Amino acid sequence: MSIIGWIILGLIAGWIASHIVDNGGKGPLIDIVLGIVGALVGGWIFAALGAVPVTGFNLWSLFVAVVGAVVVLVIYHAIAGRRVL
């Protein structure tokens, strides 16, 4: 998949995951980064479980990326939620 495909998939997955976890997007750049990292994490999780990881720009890959992005976002909130400013 091309870098443009990863960015588009990342944007969509990050946006969906942000709305699932905390009812709002983090902004386009953070959503893209979150989605791309989520796709990598989701691909690793699904491969470890014996399922098919990200295979291209399709609904299954979007599902895997969203699951990974939700995991990344929950971990982010667990770490960032402990900070006292």
Side-chain angles (χ1 to χ4, degrees):
M1 187 162 52
S2 71
I3 190 70
I4 301 297
W6 276 104
I7 290 171
I8 292 170
L9 183 72
L11 176 62
I12 296 167
W15 182 80
I16 292 171
S18 292
H19 280 75
I20 289 171
V21 174
D22 55 21
N23 255 350
K26 301 287 186 200
L29 184 60
I30 300 298
D31 284 348
I32 290 171
V33 171
L34 172 69
I36 292 172
V37 171
L40 295 172
V41 170
W44 180 80
I45 290 170
F46 276 69
L49 295 174
V52 177
V54 175
T55 58
F57 196 78
N58 54 41
L59 285 178
W60 177 254
S61 296
L62 180 62
F63 174 73
V64 171
V66 168
V67 169
V70 166
V71 169
V72 168
L73 193 55
V74 167
I75 291 170
Y76 169 77
H77 281 299
I79 293 169
R82 294 183 186 161
R83 288 189 194 157
V84 177
L85 297 175

